[in-house]
Amino acid sequence: MTRRTPEADIQRAIVHTLRIVLPRDAIIHHSANEVGSGGKAARQRQAILTGMGVFPGFADLIVLTGGQVLFLEVKSPSGRLSPAQKAFRDMVKAQGFGWALVRSIEDALDAHADHGITTRVQAQNPRRRACASANASTSRRTCA
């Protein structure tokens, strides 16, 4: 039996895309915050990780680029935030950092735009973008 991992699949797709569109020096990091459910061994491992600094509710991804920090919590289309994740979100936002709940690649890209993080795709010359937009709306070339 294959275990379905929709959030992991979404997260892998997001990471792949961000590695392409963010500046080359951007850092995209997943904090392995969970050990899994069940038994005494899992509880012991979680206790060890907590002692080492694992923070309950920490976001799935942290993006560092251009002096900015954005935390991304990845959820499936029907996924919900846990109380620990809500508390983490509130603490991060209160400190002035960006945080977003994302369910798709598009959500992740929108979150970056919403937090003023420019991707390589957005970074093309603004005049060139304006000309391309103007040219697309007319049959005549308006910019040189």
Side-chain angles (χ1 to χ4, degrees):
M1 179 167 115
T2 302
R3 184 173 168 204
R4 292 203 28 102
T5 56
E7 286 181 13
D9 294 342
I10 294 166
Q11 183 167 321
R12 277 189 287 276
I14 288 170
V15 168
H16 175 77
T17 300
L18 293 179
R19 285 181 177 155
I20 293 169
V21 303
L22 287 176
R24 296 190 197 292
D25 62 349
I27 297 168
I28 305 160
H29 177 74
H30 167 68
S31 177
N33 215 18
E34 64 286 327
V35 195
S37 58
K40 183 178 178 182
R43 286 192 303 276
Q44 287 175 331
R45 181 70 180 144
Q46 189 67 48
I48 290 168
L49 291 175
T50 299
M52 293 175 69
V54 167
F55 195 89
F58 198 90
D60 293 311
L61 296 171
I62 181 170
V63 178
L64 301 120
T65 185
Q68 296 175 285
V69 178
L70 177 60
F71 293 92
L72 299 176
E73 181 61 44
V74 180
K75 290 289 181 193
S76 68
S78 61
R80 296 180 189 204
L81 295 176
S82 70
Q85 289 168 332
K86 290 177 183 177
F88 177 80
R89 172 201 61 201
D90 296 345
M91 291 185 334
V92 162
K93 290 173 95 176
Q95 293 182 46
F97 294 109
W99 183 97
L101 172 63
V102 297
R103 299 176 188 278
S104 66
I105 293 169
E106 293 78 18
D107 286 352
L109 294 174
D110 288 347
H112 281 77
D114 291 347
H115 289 89
I117 298 174
T118 304
T119 66
R120 284 189 261 167
V121 175
Q122 296 166 320
Q124 66 174 305
N125 183 315
R127 176 169 156 51
R128 190 173 177 181
R129 258 196 337 257
C131 289
S133 178
N135 290 337
S137 64
T138 68
S139 59
R140 212 167 57 106
R141 188 168 172 82
T142 57
C143 301

